[in-house]
Amino acid sequence: MINVVIADDHPIVRAGLKQIITEEADIAVVGEASNGVELLNLVRHHDYNVVLLDLSMPGMDGLDVLKQLKIEKPHLPVVILTIHPESQYALRIIKAGASGYLTKASADEELIRAIRKVHRGGKYISPSLAEKIAFALDEDASRLPHETLSDREYQVLCLIGSGKTVSQVAESLALSVKTVSTYRARILEKMHLENNAELIHYAVQNGLVE
């Protein structure tokens, strides 16, 4: 039996995932968490075979949770489930240690295959993401400005690029306004941009926001 724990802040999403999984005789949902802190507590006290982790959760977001899981349980497979398109976060998520990346729109068709594959020790990614990773591994591939950012800077870029104010970004990431402002200043400097308008334009032009 493949024992799965689901972390998502939306009960309806968790219920939908459970419904898909319970139709399979060899997979069972044996744990649920509504945020990153709850998930980490569960994983510390119980044994699971696969983690299904939402990327966007209040407080400690999915990327931070993933990094902590890789420190505490380096061999525990983590499949990221998210509304964000592959172009926005997938490559960073895989580099951070995830065993799989699924958009929620494709979960109905791909979820079971992903769980079984990562449980066997494999990686579950789409052909388009595999191509992106191949190019990223090419040492001669030129890096776009946003690819030079740290993970946190990249998160701030995407949130500001989607139209959020510094205060809204701070609330979303559970950071102070001052800290987010510092990240924003670093982003503008690294990317040679002047203001939020240019930042938003860059994010849209490069497909970093929907």
Side-chain angles (χ1 to χ4, degrees):
M1 182 66 70
I2 303 173
N3 291 325
V4 174
V5 58
I6 300 173
D8 194 295
D9 59 321
H10 295 99
I12 294 176
V13 173
R14 296 200 304 271
L17 295 173
K18 283 178 66 177
Q19 185 172 359
I20 296 171
I21 291 170
T22 52
E23 295 178 1
E24 306 300 319
D26 61 329
I27 310 174
V29 176
V30 295
E32 294 184 51
S34 61
N35 57 59
V37 174
E38 285 184 12
L39 174 64
L40 290 173
N41 286 334
L42 284 175
V43 169
R44 286 165 184 155
H45 294 94
H46 303 279
D47 290 325
Y48 302 105
N49 301 121
V50 175
V51 175
L52 298 182
L53 175 61
D54 183 22
L55 188 60
S56 303
M57 293 188 293
M60 193 175 187
D61 75 352
L63 185 56
D64 291 334
V65 175
L66 172 62
K67 291 178 179 179
Q68 189 62 35
L69 283 172
K70 290 294 100 179
I71 292 171
E72 298 187 23
K73 301 278 186 173
H75 302 297
L76 178 60
V78 180
V79 176
I80 296 295
L81 279 166
T82 179
I83 60 171
H84 299 292
E86 287 181 351
S87 60
Q88 193 166 356
Y89 279 105
L91 187 55
R92 287 176 181 266
I93 290 297
I94 296 300
K95 285 182 176 179
S99 295
Y101 186 100
L102 288 178
T103 60
K104 289 182 179 177
S106 65
D108 285 1
E109 300 174 358
E110 301 182 43
L111 180 62
I112 299 304
R113 289 200 298 272
I115 291 172
R116 289 189 176 127
K117 187 166 186 179
V118 302
H119 180 247
R120 294 194 301 267
K123 299 279 188 181
Y124 192 89
I125 55 177
S126 70
S128 62
L129 178 54
E131 185 177 37
K132 289 184 179 72
I133 292 173
F135 279 118
L137 293 175
D138 184 351
E139 292 182 354
D140 296 326
S142 58
R143 301 181 76 192
L144 293 171
H146 67 271
E147 294 173 338
T148 67
L149 302 177
S150 69
D151 288 336
R152 183 64 85 188
E153 289 167 349
Y154 183 74
Q155 287 176 304
V156 172
L157 163 65
C158 290
L159 290 170
I160 294 177
S162 68
K164 291 186 181 295
T165 65
V166 169
S167 297
Q168 289 171 327
V169 173
E171 182 178 356
S172 177
L173 297 178
L175 299 172
S176 70
V177 171
K178 182 179 179 181
T179 298
V180 172
S181 296
T182 299
Y183 280 124
R184 175 185 172 277
R186 289 180 191 168
I187 293 165
L188 293 175
E189 180 180 358
K190 286 184 177 182
M191 298 179 63
H192 306 291
L193 301 175
E194 296 294 330
N195 50 47
N196 279 14
E198 291 187 6
L199 192 154
I200 292 170
H201 178 74
Y202 179 94
V204 172
Q205 286 291 100
N206 287 275
L208 305 183
V209 295
E210 294 183 55

